[in-house]
Amino acid sequence: MPASEAFSRRHLALAFAILMPFMALALQLRLWTSIEPLAFMLFYPALVVSSWIGGRSGGTIALILSIVLADWFFMEPLQSLRVDNPTHIARIVAFSLIGILIIYAHHRFQLRTERYQNTTENIDDVVWVLDAETQRLRYVSPSIVRQLGFAPAEIMALPIESALTPTIAAQVRSLAVGDTALGNSVTEEVRKTRKDGSTVWTEVVMTQARNQRTGRQEVHGVSRNITARKYAEEQLKLSEQRMRKMLDNIPTAIACCTLGSKAEIVFLNRQFVRIFGYSLDEIPDLGTWEQLSCPDEQSRRNLALPWKMAVGTIPGESAEGMESRILCKNGSMRDVLINADRLEDMMLVSFTDITERKQAEQRLRHMAQHDPLTDLPNRVLFDEHVGVALATARRDGSRFGLMFIDLDHFKNVNDTMGHRIGDLLLLEVSQRLRQTVRESDIPARLGGDEFVVLLQHVHHAGDALRVAEKIRTRLGEPFSIENNTFSISASLGIAIYPDHGKDSISLARNADTAMYHAKQSGRNAIALSESGAAA
């Protein structure tokens, strides 16, 4: 209400309140001229009306005017404000006390009414009261105009199905006939049509109550405009859907878990399920995921780090570049790179599948350390094995041997049958070496037709010679390659640690020298190094 209009209404109410004592005087003079015992008879109702309309100010002015007019016209001496008679004084005092009580009671009631009106009429929520028996709205706050565009009278004239919701209308009808009860409260979100045709989302909260004055069953409700909230929820939902689509279409597996002691997994993207095979129902928390998917201790530690960050057992906001091996649901193993970031209310863990990269690295490593034709260890890897054997022998005081093998007349095979047959022969030689040596021994190809064997756990020279004889005999058996059958022989030289050398260089030199001695003695022979270790 505009301030000017409110000001005019207050002045009009005050004027009417002042007028009431004069109206009581006029009526009382018309009825009788002298009624000293009943001098205030009609001034009582006038005072009640004045205090009701004009409030405390109007009632106070009406009280003073009533005393003056009653004294002037109805108390001796007439037309005088002098009061000498104790009886008159008592009547004036009694009227004043009763008048003050009336003014105070009206003032308190108006204060309560104003507070209620200020609460219901100045808030955006619509407050309403419905009579459960008559199925009619008894009160609707003015904020209904802002919410739906209807005046309170218009909305109260509508059926409750339109004014409220069909669901609430059915509950109210059931309440009226005593079939059911609403309980403490009922909340419903409903989309309603405004007077101008637009729509608005409202949240209706209502509860049943009994009117203490009338004893009638009522339903008290509040309708709140939640359009902005519903729009925000819809935008949040759309944003979440967009984010889910983005996460589902990236090549990285993503898992999101809550913070705290449970670390519940709340989201797995499509790539996670595709790579690892586990669904959200199967791994409700990171602890379960850790138990199912970690085959070794190092992988378990790396995978447990994001979980420990989530539950707060270790500090940290992020972790990057942790490699782990994951056991998938189908039993396969995947190598992953784990990154974890702590967000406001959750932990986001990403798993980049590096299985193919690790396999490629393994293939490259294998190619760098193995002979491409025979797949035997090459010189680089063989030297690493010899270094390990030397360290072990020096620590434990044990012995091992080196055996050099050279195929006799291999060049003739290449020259007469071609390099293809020569390569297939080398491949067959490598297979026979694997089959003949002991499980602990390591055969290798140094290049061309030269092979070498690391003989481990050699207690004396006789152990090495027995293995050498097996190899010589096996390689002397005929070869059948692409319908070509032929035989070759091999010359073998052996050096024993520490008898023939205390380092890899001297051992290799002495084994190679022994092999040439075997060739010089007629080939197809075995020679043990005759050189002693340097002091």
Side-chain angles (χ1 to χ4, degrees):
M1 182 185 300
S4 58
E5 183 180 349
F7 181 78
S8 300
R9 290 186 62 177
R10 284 197 298 270
H11 276 70
L12 182 62
L14 185 61
F16 192 76
I18 295 172
L19 181 63
M20 288 305 299
F22 291 99
M23 294 177 65
L25 172 66
L27 182 59
Q28 194 159 294
L29 287 174
R30 188 175 181 86
L31 294 177
W32 54 77
T33 56
S34 178
I35 50 169
E36 284 191 10
L38 303 175
F40 294 100
M41 173 63 70
L42 297 184
F43 286 101
Y44 279 107
L47 180 60
V48 171
V49 174
S50 295
S51 63
W52 181 267
I53 296 174
R56 185 168 56 179
S57 298
T60 302
I61 295 173
L63 174 64
I64 295 172
L65 283 175
S66 296
I67 294 172
V68 170
L69 294 175
D71 180 39
W72 184 271
F73 288 100
F74 298 106
M75 294 183 184
E76 295 292 341
L78 299 176
Q79 298 183 354
S80 172
L81 297 179
R82 185 165 53 85
V83 181
D84 297 327
N85 191 329
T87 303
H88 293 171
I89 294 173
R91 292 194 184 103
I92 292 172
V93 171
F95 179 76
S96 299
L97 292 175
I98 294 172
I100 290 171
L101 289 175
I102 292 172
I103 294 170
Y104 176 76
H106 283 171
H107 177 66
R108 293 293 297 173
F109 179 79
Q110 287 174 348
L111 283 178
R112 292 178 61 186
T113 303
E114 287 175 2
R115 290 194 191 103
Y116 180 77
Q117 288 178 340
N118 288 335
T119 301
T120 60
E121 296 180 5
N122 295 317
I123 61 175
D124 291 332
D125 297 346
V126 177
V127 179
W128 50 268
V129 178
L130 181 140
D131 191 311
E133 297 180 12
T134 63
Q135 305 289 297
R136 305 295 297 177
L137 285 165
R138 297 183 60 250
Y139 172 78
V140 177
S141 64
S143 50
I144 190 69
V145 178
R146 293 190 297 272
Q147 190 173 104
L148 296 179
F150 293 96
E154 292 176 313
I155 208 73
M156 285 191 289
L158 294 174
I160 58 173
E161 289 86 357
S162 300
L164 301 175
T165 67
T167 302
I168 293 180
Q171 291 172 327
V172 170
R173 288 193 175 93
S174 298
L175 177 66
V177 298
D179 290 342
T180 185
L182 292 174
N184 292 330
S185 65
V186 171
T187 303
E188 183 182 359
E189 294 180 359
V190 61
R191 193 171 190 173
K192 295 186 68 67
T193 303
R194 290 172 50 86
K195 191 174 182 179
D196 59 7
S198 61
T199 58
V200 60
W201 277 97
T202 60
E203 181 184 63
V204 181
V205 181
M206 69 176 186
T207 183
Q208 60 175 338
R210 186 168 295 278
N211 190 314
Q212 295 181 355
R213 184 175 60 85
T214 64
R216 298 174 68 88
Q217 191 73 26
E218 295 178 341
V219 178
H220 299 175
V222 176
S223 297
R224 172 168 297 172
N225 188 336
I226 59 169
T227 304
R229 190 184 82 190
K230 295 293 286 187
Y231 176 78
E233 290 175 354
E234 185 65 23
Q235 292 301 308
L236 182 62
K237 184 178 179 181
L238 292 175
S239 177
E240 182 180 350
Q241 290 175 349
R242 287 193 294 268
M243 183 60 68
R244 282 180 176 269
K245 288 182 179 179
M246 290 173 58
L247 292 177
D248 278 338
N249 288 283
I250 61 176
T252 302
I254 299 292
C256 296
C257 71
T258 61
L259 302 178
S261 58
K262 291 185 177 180
E264 296 178 351
I265 297 178
V266 296
F267 173 75
L268 299 175
N269 72 341
R270 187 184 305 158
Q271 191 73 353
F272 186 101
V273 179
R274 187 190 70 79
I275 293 176
F276 304 120
Y278 295 103
S279 65
L280 192 60
D281 295 334
E282 294 171 305
I283 46 173
D285 54 66
L286 281 181
T288 305
W289 166 236
E290 175 190 344
Q291 295 296 325
L292 287 175
S293 61
C294 292
D296 57 76
E297 186 60 32
Q298 182 60 46
S299 296
R300 189 181 298 274
R301 282 197 299 269
N302 288 346
L303 190 61
L305 182 59
W307 180 74
K308 291 179 180 178
M309 290 169 60
V311 301
T313 55
I314 62 172
E317 298 295 326
S318 64
E320 298 180 356
M322 299 177 297
E323 289 191 9
S324 180
R325 301 204 76 206
I326 301 297
L327 177 62
C328 300
K329 186 177 179 180
N330 62 7
S332 63
M333 299 297 301
R334 308 296 292 183
D335 292 290
V336 296
L337 193 66
I338 302 175
N339 293 286
D341 289 286
R342 183 168 181 163
L343 307 180
E344 291 184 2
D345 57 349
M346 67 175 58
M347 181 69 68
L348 187 147
V349 187
S350 65
F351 303 85
T352 303
D353 189 354
I354 58 173
T355 304
E356 292 184 0
R357 191 189 81 186
K358 298 291 284 187
Q359 290 173 348
E361 291 174 355
Q362 182 63 30
R363 286 193 297 269
L364 290 174
R365 189 179 301 111
H366 186 86
M367 290 170 61
Q369 296 179 335
H370 289 77
D371 175 56
L373 176 62
T374 63
D375 203 38
L376 289 175
N378 60 13
R379 185 185 297 275
V380 174
L381 182 56
F382 187 77
D383 287 344
E384 291 181 7
H385 288 305
V386 172
V388 173
L390 270 171
T392 303
R394 288 167 180 167
R395 183 185 66 244
D396 301 338
S398 58
R399 298 157 66 88
F400 68 92
L402 285 184
M403 179 191 301
F404 274 50
I405 305 170
D406 186 80
L407 302 181
D408 299 329
H409 305 299
F410 176 73
K411 185 175 183 301
N412 294 337
V413 176
N414 271 338
D415 293 342
T416 58
M417 298 185 182
H419 289 281
R420 172 177 171 76
I421 299 299
D423 288 344
L424 293 176
L425 174 61
L426 292 174
L427 185 58
E428 181 66 24
V429 168
S430 68
Q431 293 173 354
R432 291 188 182 187
L433 278 177
R434 288 192 182 96
Q435 296 166 0
T436 306
V437 298
R438 299 170 302 177
E439 187 175 351
S440 60
D441 298 334
I442 300 174
R445 182 189 178 205
L446 300 183
D449 61 344
E450 293 184 354
F451 294 85
V452 64
V453 179
L454 174 62
L455 301 169
Q456 310 222 53
H457 310 300
V458 174
H459 300 291
H460 47 77
D463 294 338
L465 291 171
R466 278 191 294 271
V467 175
E469 180 58 30
K470 287 183 180 180
I471 294 174
R472 189 192 67 81
T473 302
R474 186 73 176 92
L475 294 180
E477 296 175 358
F479 290 88
S480 180
I481 300 174
E482 291 188 351
N483 300 321
N484 296 300
T485 302
F486 54 90
S487 297
I488 63 170
S489 61
S491 299
L492 297 84
I494 302 171
I496 306 297
Y497 172 88
D499 303 340
H500 307 128
K502 294 185 178 181
D503 57 63
S504 60
I505 295 176
S506 59
L507 283 171
R509 183 177 62 247
N510 292 334
D512 189 50
T513 300
M515 181 191 69
Y516 278 102
H517 287 166
K519 277 186 174 295
Q520 291 172 359
S521 65
R523 292 184 171 86
N524 193 24
I526 301 170
L528 183 64
S529 176
E530 297 177 356
S531 302

